[in-house]
Amino acid sequence: MAQQVLLRGIIMNISVIGAGYVGLVTAACLADSGFNVICADCDREKIENLKKCIMPIYEPGLESIIKRCADKKLLKFTTETSEAVQFSDAVFICVGTPEMDDGSADISQILNVSREIAQNLNGYKLIINKSTVPAGTCRRIKAEVGNMLGRLDEESEFDIVSNPEFLREGRAVEDFIRPERIIIGVESARAEEMMRRIYHKQIQLGIPFISTGFETSEMIKYASNAFLASKISFINEIANMCERCGADIKIVSKAMGMDSRIGPEFLNPGPGFGGSCLPKDLKALVCMGKYLGYTPEMVKSTIKVNDRQKKLVLRKIRKAVRRLKNKTITVLGVSFKPETDDVRESPAVEVIKGLLKGGAAVKVYDPRALPKFKKEYHSLDIDYCTGKYMACINSDCIVIMTEWKEFTNIDFSILKAIVKTPVIIDMRNILDPEQARKAGFRYHGIGTGRT
Ligand code: UDX
């Protein structure tokens, strides 16, 4: 446990509004780095469970940090935003910005929380927005709080800060403790000084700390996510072309990544990007463009290529099994990426719906995500399996959608004995094609060899 962080000689108190992926990780890691933290959420069941250390999400390392900090009374949970705000010197806003029908980001939760904070100011407060928001939102938060204070005749001072998160699901705790950079958008020296105190451990580690204005900070987040997504759609396009000319995408990707200007990350082809961030953030960026009178064509193309990539998976399956009707298709992996139980915008969802529509029977297995998948898509008539081999019994085609480690060492001899038709479509190129073919399988990767 780190030493306590003092502000004006007393332990600095922090509240986090929103106990989702970002809020929970933020609350836990700040408590673990020496602050008194209260995390508030309007979901009573979630808060009651958290008080008993029952986690609403799976994130490696998170549960043990929460248990440790709660035992030391450094981390509390409440449904009362007022209690959290009045307790703290700094308040993190970590509520959702869901996608509206037109693709724009819904910031109503952000503004509602801002008003609640204003109603509970009891002295100077740092109000820190960590949710992903269109450029200009922090300025709106400032206006909302200022208006509320004007109406409440409150003298309390406050500062607004933009502090976007760059947490990757499955490694969010690591990404909070050791981010590659910290970005803040501030308008006062006092706000910057408090943010440096909040991130004192990261600064001690020498992590770059960029202090800029609200809009610049907000745009850094969208620009980063849009660029990451564009790398994925780009490599998927090149993979699709490799299949048509006999090139090997694995070598193309590796050789590209050796150029320091390109870098090796995010050059793995697959069924398309999913998750609660990239898809939503790109649509929000296109909407922001409409508002600003500028059309971000590359961002639009990234989305278009991604939507097409999910349809391509279905085409590959149809081509491999000739017709879907009455066939049994196995889907290995329904989470949008490994090491998470999150199925939001997972490409597997659209593929499974397409298979069912085509009259196939679908068997699914995922090491962690089945409970959430079942809850979210309970109306789908699919066979939930408790193991990878069970899901392959009597299968006409095995489709690997998520690159979970336990799929990489699948035993082809066992598979060959239990499948009905030996066909594998490896949408993550995680298996050895030669091993698969030697075992008698028709193997189809992505971007490797003519298909
Ligand atoms: C992303 C950003 O990486 C993170 O910085 C931001 O804070 C939140 O959004 P996350 O949504 O957790 O993080 O997922 P990420 O690891 O970025 O993967 C997104 C999707 O891209 C996944 O579906 C993944 O399978 C896919 N992907 C990723 C590829 O298809 N190929 C790659 O090479 C990398």
Side-chain angles (χ1 to χ4, degrees):
M1 182 59 64
Q3 85 286 1
Q4 302 299 359
V5 181
L6 303 182
L7 185 68
R8 297 186 300 283
I10 51 172
I11 296 177
M12 191 166 167
N13 297 332
I14 292 179
S15 58
V16 175
I17 315 299
Y21 275 89
V22 175
L24 262 188
V25 170
T26 301
C29 293
L30 287 174
D32 208 34
S33 67
F35 299 93
N36 271 330
V37 178
I38 288 192
C39 181
D41 194 290
C42 57
D43 182 330
R44 188 168 296 282
E45 185 187 358
K46 181 188 283 191
I47 291 297
E48 289 313 311
N49 281 337
L50 281 164
K51 287 177 178 173
K52 292 176 266 183
C53 277
I54 298 170
M55 295 296 114
I57 58 169
Y58 168 70
E59 262 301 327
L62 182 62
E63 185 171 358
S64 57
I65 294 178
I66 288 180
K67 269 201 173 72
R68 181 167 67 236
C69 293
D71 289 348
K72 292 190 176 284
K73 305 273 183 283
L74 278 170
L75 175 58
K76 282 174 62 187
F77 295 98
T78 179
T79 53
E80 300 304 321
T81 300
S82 53
E83 175 195 354
V85 173
Q86 288 171 21
F87 157 85
S88 56
D89 304 295
V91 188
F92 276 88
I93 301 176
C94 297
V95 294
T97 53
E99 185 184 317
M100 308 258 272
D101 292 345
D102 66 356
S104 62
D106 177 357
I107 62 168
S108 58
Q109 293 179 47
I110 300 258
L111 298 178
N112 290 340
V113 167
S114 304
R115 287 189 278 269
E116 265 197 279
I117 292 169
Q119 286 164 340
N120 290 282
L121 290 187
N122 52 348
Y124 176 81
K125 211 76 73 182
L126 197 61
I127 303 170
I128 308 155
N129 178 54
K130 198 171 250 310
S131 300
T132 303
V133 292
T137 303
C138 279
R139 214 158 290 288
R140 282 197 62 185
I141 295 172
K142 183 177 176 182
E144 286 290 328
V145 174
N147 291 340
M148 285 297 290
L149 290 186
R151 284 203 291 274
L152 300 170
D153 298 327
E154 289 292 320
E155 287 311 306
S156 310
E157 287 174 274
F158 68 94
D159 273 310
I160 304 293
V161 177
S162 164
N163 177 220
E165 50 83 15
F166 299 95
L167 308 179
R168 284 164 287 187
E169 288 187 27
R171 48 170 303 159
V173 169
E174 177 62 19
D175 281 348
F176 190 95
I177 295 168
R178 256 176 290 283
E180 292 188 278
R181 74 291 204 205
I182 291 168
I183 309 292
I184 63 169
V186 291
E187 289 190 327
S188 82
R190 182 176 187 181
E192 178 167 341
E193 196 276 328
M194 279 180 77
M195 290 306 288
R196 287 183 179 279
R197 200 182 290 266
I198 288 173
Y199 288 109
H200 68 289
K201 287 184 77 63
Q202 288 81 358
I203 290 173
Q204 280 162 11
L205 291 173
I207 287 163
F209 188 94
I210 297 179
S211 178
T212 182
F214 289 161
E215 287 74 14
T216 303
S217 171
E218 290 161 334
M219 186 54 91
I220 289 169
K221 169 69 182 173
Y222 275 112
S224 301
N225 271 7
F227 184 75
L228 289 168
S230 70
K231 276 190 95 171
I232 297 165
S233 281
F234 178 81
I235 204 68
N236 283 338
E237 291 241 85
I238 299 299
N240 297 339
M241 294 179 77
C242 284
E243 285 182 7
R244 286 156 176 73
C245 70
D248 184 338
I249 190 61
K250 286 189 272 192
I251 300 171
V252 168
S253 168
K254 187 168 176 231
M256 281 176 67
M258 291 171 176
D259 183 325
S260 60
R261 295 166 301 172
I262 298 173
E265 299 289 323
F266 276 59
L267 285 179
N268 304 315
F273 55 81
S276 62
C277 294
L278 296 192
K280 170 176 76 74
D281 291 352
L282 268 74
K283 288 180 198 162
L285 192 55
V286 171
C287 285
M288 204 197 304
K290 283 185 196 139
Y291 176 75
L292 298 172
Y294 180 83
T295 305
E297 295 296 352
M298 272 191 70
V299 178
K300 289 176 74 172
S301 303
T302 298
I303 296 169
K304 194 171 155 205
V305 167
N306 196 54
D307 292 344
R308 189 177 61 178
Q309 194 69 4
K310 296 177 214 174
K311 293 177 176 50
L312 175 142
V313 181
L314 268 172
R315 278 210 305 277
K316 270 178 169 291
I317 299 170
R318 278 203 182 87
K319 196 174 167 193
V321 301
R322 301 277 179 274
R323 55 198 292 273
L324 288 175
K325 197 159 177 48
N326 301 327
K327 295 286 174 59
T328 299
I329 310 295
T330 300
V331 174
L332 294 184
V334 292
S335 61
F336 78 95
K337 62 187 269 194
E339 294 312 312
T340 179
D341 61 352
D342 198 345
V343 295
R344 287 175 289 181
E345 298 289 324
S346 169
V349 176
E350 188 170 322
V351 169
I352 289 168
K353 287 180 178 175
L355 292 171
L356 293 171
K357 197 167 166 215
V362 178
K363 300 174 78 171
V364 297
Y365 169 70
D366 184 289
R368 285 209 172 267
L370 287 190
K372 282 208 168 147
F373 188 90
K374 226 183 248 183
K375 187 173 168 210
E376 187 68 26
Y377 302 103
H378 50 81
S379 61
L380 296 182
D381 177 17
I382 48 184
D383 181 359
Y384 293 97
C385 300
T386 54
K388 58 190 177 192
Y389 293 114
M390 179 184 169
C392 296
I393 294 171
N394 202 28
S395 177
D396 288 300
C397 178
I398 299 167
V399 187
I400 296 182
M401 289 294 287
T402 311
E403 64 278 28
W404 282 98
K405 208 181 277 318
E406 71 170 80
F407 299 155
T408 57
N409 57 11
I410 205 159
D411 183 323
F412 293 114
S413 57
I414 296 175
L415 280 190
K416 188 67 169 39
I418 59 178
V419 296
K420 188 171 167 194
T421 321
V423 180
I424 292 177
I425 294 177
D426 180 3
M427 287 306 300
R428 299 289 184 166
N429 287 341
I430 56 173
L431 300 180
D432 179 340
E434 286 322 303
Q435 292 293 324
R437 289 176 181 130
K438 259 194 214 138
F441 278 86
R442 267 189 291 131
Y443 173 92
H444 304 279
I446 173 168
T448 57
R450 292 180 201 279
T451 49

